[in-house]
């Protein structure tokens, strides 16, 4: 059984009509101009305004290699438009020591949250963290309170309730597979053949995820991205 179908079989009926492939990329291409960021296939990044135009995403040996530039004032964000309510993202990733990779679900038309951030799954070699950004730290009012230095127990408790971390023990510099499934208010993440982990929170159920963003704070390799729609 293919990994995606195996993942789905944990909680969903295997009906071919129920799963609609939306997008896939195996990065088996080169940039038109060597040394110039040109991801192609609908991908864009924040390198132009966050890294002074320096290349941060490189297509190497059939995969995407991401490295935050020394002059960047923000982590690397790599965007692709894709629209669904419930869906699945599958990809391969490779992280070195201290690296991380986030898969962020975004709706930039939603103006009550910073930059449209809805929810995110972030993986390191040591953990997976699932966060409801919409009703947590990216809510405009909550974000404003934090920027003003609000350290109240009430706010701390609220933010804690919007995220959950699960331990991992992955070998650095090896390829792994991540499956992310969103159904209603629940996000489920499975790494390789390990047991899936899940977290439920109201912001995850936002009706329109219009974009996925790959978020890298240091460095990461990514390959074989597949996005499917369930609803």
């Amino acid at each position: 059984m293919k990994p995606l179908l195996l993942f789905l079989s944990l909680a969903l009926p295997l009906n071919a009509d129920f799963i609609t492939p939306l997008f896939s990329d195996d990065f088996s291409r080169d940039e038109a101009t060597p040394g110039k960021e040109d991801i192609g296939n609908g991908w864009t990044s924040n390198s132009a305004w966050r890294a002074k135009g320096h290349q941060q995403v490189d297509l190497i040996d059939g995969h995407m290699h991401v490295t935050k530039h020394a002059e960047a004032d923000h982590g690397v964000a790599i965007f692709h438009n894709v629209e669904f309510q419930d869906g699945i993202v599958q990809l391969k990733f490779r992280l070195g020591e201290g690296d991380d990779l986030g898969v962020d679900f975004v709706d930039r038309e939603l103006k009550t949250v910073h930059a449209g951030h809805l929810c995110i799954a972030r993986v390191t070699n040591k953990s997976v963290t699932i966060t409801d950004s919409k009703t947590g730290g990216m809510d405009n009012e909550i974000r404003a309170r934090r920027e003003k230095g609000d350290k109240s127990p009430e706010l701390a408790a609220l933010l804690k309730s919007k995220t959950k971390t699960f331990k991992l023990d992955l070998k650095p510099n090896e390829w792994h597979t991540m499956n992310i499934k969103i159904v209603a208010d629940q996000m489920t993440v499975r790494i390789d053949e390990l047991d899936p982990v899940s977290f439920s929170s109201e912001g995850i159920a936002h009706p329109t995820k219009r974009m996925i963003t790959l978020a890298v704070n240091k460095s990461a390799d990514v390959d074989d991205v597949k996005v499917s729609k369930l609803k």
Side-chain angles (χ1 to χ4, degrees):
M1 185 180 289
K2 294 181 179 180
L4 177 59
L5 295 181
L6 178 61
F7 179 70
L8 284 170
S9 69
L10 297 169
L12 295 171
L14 291 180
N15 182 337
D17 296 329
F18 187 62
I19 306 165
T20 305
L22 297 178
F23 171 75
S24 65
D25 199 342
D26 63 5
F27 305 103
S28 57
R29 57 186 178 275
D30 295 319
E31 292 87 355
T33 304
K36 181 178 180 180
E37 188 170 298
D38 178 19
I39 310 168
N41 203 13
W43 295 98
T44 57
S45 83
N46 65 350
S47 296
W49 66 93
R50 287 296 196 178
K52 301 180 181 179
H54 293 292
Q55 183 179 17
Q56 300 187 106
V57 185
D58 195 4
L59 302 179
I60 302 175
D61 298 329
H63 67 270
M64 177 194 288
H65 178 68
V66 187
T67 303
K68 181 182 176 183
H69 194 273
E71 294 188 47
D73 63 1
H74 189 280
V76 188
I78 306 152
F79 317 109
H80 202 290
N81 292 330
V82 62
E83 189 168 317
F84 59 87
Q85 179 172 351
D86 295 343
I88 297 167
V89 176
Q90 176 177 299
L91 56 81
K92 294 178 181 177
F93 68 94
R94 180 170 60 185
L95 302 174
E97 294 284 357
D99 288 345
D100 69 315
L101 171 67
V103 180
D104 195 2
F105 298 85
V106 177
D107 179 4
R108 287 184 174 170
E109 295 184 16
L110 181 66
K111 302 306 181 183
T112 59
V113 299
H114 175 65
H117 295 295
L118 302 171
C119 51
I120 184 170
R122 186 172 295 280
V123 62
T124 72
N125 290 315
K126 300 298 183 184
S127 67
V128 172
T129 300
I130 304 173
T131 301
D132 170 1
S133 309
K134 178 184 174 181
T135 63
M138 291 298 171
D139 174 89
N140 286 336
E141 294 182 3
I142 293 173
R143 190 165 181 266
R145 290 174 63 183
R146 297 177 72 190
E147 289 179 345
K148 291 178 181 178
D150 187 339
K151 297 182 180 180
S152 65
E154 172 266 330
L155 181 58
L158 173 63
L159 292 171
K160 185 177 180 180
S161 74
K162 299 300 180 179
T163 189
K164 190 167 184 179
T165 297
F166 306 86
K167 291 183 178 180
L168 274 180
D169 187 16
L170 301 181
K171 292 182 179 179
N173 302 310
E174 292 189 1
W175 285 101
H176 302 280
T177 299
M178 176 161 60
N179 289 278
I180 303 167
K181 179 182 68 179
I182 293 178
V183 175
D185 69 348
Q186 184 178 76
M187 184 186 295
T188 301
V189 178
R190 185 174 191 179
I191 305 297
D192 297 333
E193 299 303 316
L194 301 174
D195 291 338
V197 296
S198 299
F199 177 63
S200 296
S201 186
E202 60 185 308
I204 296 172
H206 181 75
T208 312
K209 289 81 176 175
R210 302 183 192 276
M211 175 187 291
I212 61 167
T213 301
L214 305 181
V216 176
N217 285 312
K218 182 183 172 186
S219 183
D221 292 322
V222 177
D223 202 359
D224 294 334
V225 177
K226 299 179 179 69
V227 183
S228 299
K229 173 177 160 181
L230 303 176
K231 182 177 178 182

